[in-house]
Amino acid sequence: MKIFLDTASIKSIKFYNDMGLIDGVTTNPSLLSKEKGNPHSIMKSISNMIDGDVSLEVIGTTYSEMIKEGHTLKLYGDNVVVKCPMTPDGLIACKKLTNENIPVNITLIFSANQAMLAAKSGAKYVSPFIGRLDDVGNDGINLINEIKQIFQNYDYGTQILVASVRHPIHVIQSAKIGADAITIPPIILDKMIKHNLTSIGLNNFLSDWKKIK
Ligand code: G3P
């Protein structure tokens, strides 16, 4: 399963990329609003820092606006994937950008039908938001199971990019299902790295070493 970092923080991307953990990055307007600086400069820098796919989201709501923005975003790097919302205009933009060999990630997916239609439009990735489904009493992980089964049945070639990840268990569950990729916020990646027994064990080793005369 590819691991993408769900952030617009250059510092976090560098930190985890130095560990060799990052296959790509996903950003969105909310994540960019948390960072200081020009959002377009940030998106360009991220695209240059990472070899793998970097999803950059359009702001326009009509397909012509999305396509125009997609062309601009694609100039930031060969690895840019244009992120369009799961709307009728988003699907038109997806189809047209895909026809131009510009890959598209359809975001804000909350049902298997939406994922299937995004795949039909040629999306490289679909981004089901599992945490937000859990928040409203639905089962986000079940959605990943459904999409996985449908995509296997029909061999669409679209990849499942699990998004809106809230805890490390979501990551294990997604990997067991065989999701193609997952985008993880830095705080959750940090929780996956750390374990209390690792910290206790390391402290013990270091204090025992000091006892050696
Ligand atoms: O990649 C989508 C993600 O950033 C949304 O996460 O936590 O706002 O639901 P969240």
Side-chain angles (χ1 to χ4, degrees):
M1 185 168 67
K2 286 186 276 193
I3 291 183
F4 294 169
L5 203 60
D6 198 20
T7 187
S9 161
I10 301 276
K11 195 176 159 199
S12 291
I13 294 166
K14 181 171 177 3
F15 184 64
Y16 293 105
N17 196 37
D18 283 350
M19 295 181 208
L21 300 179
I22 306 303
D23 297 306
V25 172
T26 57
T27 68
N28 62 40
S30 304
L31 293 170
L32 283 158
S33 74
K34 293 178 188 162
E35 305 301 320
K36 290 198 178 85
N38 178 294
H40 283 274
S41 305
I42 295 172
M43 288 191 277
K44 199 171 180 178
S45 300
I46 294 171
S47 309
N48 291 330
M49 286 171 72
I50 298 288
D51 292 333
D53 284 351
V54 174
S55 288
L56 305 178
E57 190 159 337
V58 299
I59 306 300
T61 51
T62 67
Y63 71 83
S64 52
E65 289 168 339
M66 292 183 210
I67 292 167
K68 197 171 164 215
E69 278 181 70
H71 289 153
T72 303
L73 295 172
K74 190 63 188 165
L75 295 175
Y76 297 167
D78 288 342
N79 54 346
V80 168
V81 176
V82 178
K83 214 193 229 191
C84 297
M86 179 61 209
T87 61
D89 281 80
L91 294 180
I92 295 172
C94 177
K95 182 71 187 161
K96 290 189 185 293
L97 288 168
T98 300
N99 283 347
E100 296 175 33
N101 288 322
I102 296 176
V104 174
N105 172 358
I106 293 286
T107 189
L108 292 164
I109 297 275
F110 292 97
S111 75
N113 276 329
Q114 288 182 319
M116 188 163 51
L117 298 178
K120 294 277 289 180
S121 290
K124 177 170 184 180
Y125 294 105
V126 289
S127 291
F129 276 33
I130 62 172
R132 293 193 196 181
L133 279 171
D134 290 354
D135 289 346
V136 296
N138 290 335
D139 183 349
I141 282 295
N142 185 51
L143 175 60
I144 304 305
N145 266 313
E146 285 186 323
I147 299 172
K148 177 78 184 172
Q149 190 183 340
I150 292 166
F151 282 12
Q152 273 175 342
N153 284 348
Y154 299 105
D155 201 16
Y156 282 122
T158 299
Q159 297 179 47
I160 303 171
L161 200 182
V162 179
S164 184
V165 170
R166 294 284 158 73
H167 49 69
I169 304 288
H170 272 155
V171 182
I172 294 169
Q173 290 170 315
S174 299
K176 283 166 89 172
I177 292 167
D180 303 283
I182 189 163
T183 188
I184 306 176
I187 192 170
I188 293 169
L189 199 51
D190 194 54
K191 286 181 186 172
M192 290 164 62
I193 292 169
K194 291 175 182 164
H195 196 289
N196 269 348
L197 292 177
T198 305
S199 306
I200 292 166
L202 180 59
N203 284 339
N204 286 343
F205 285 150
L206 295 177
S207 63
D208 288 342
W209 179 253
K210 282 184 186 158
K211 292 176 198 161
I212 300 173
K213 297 272 189 265

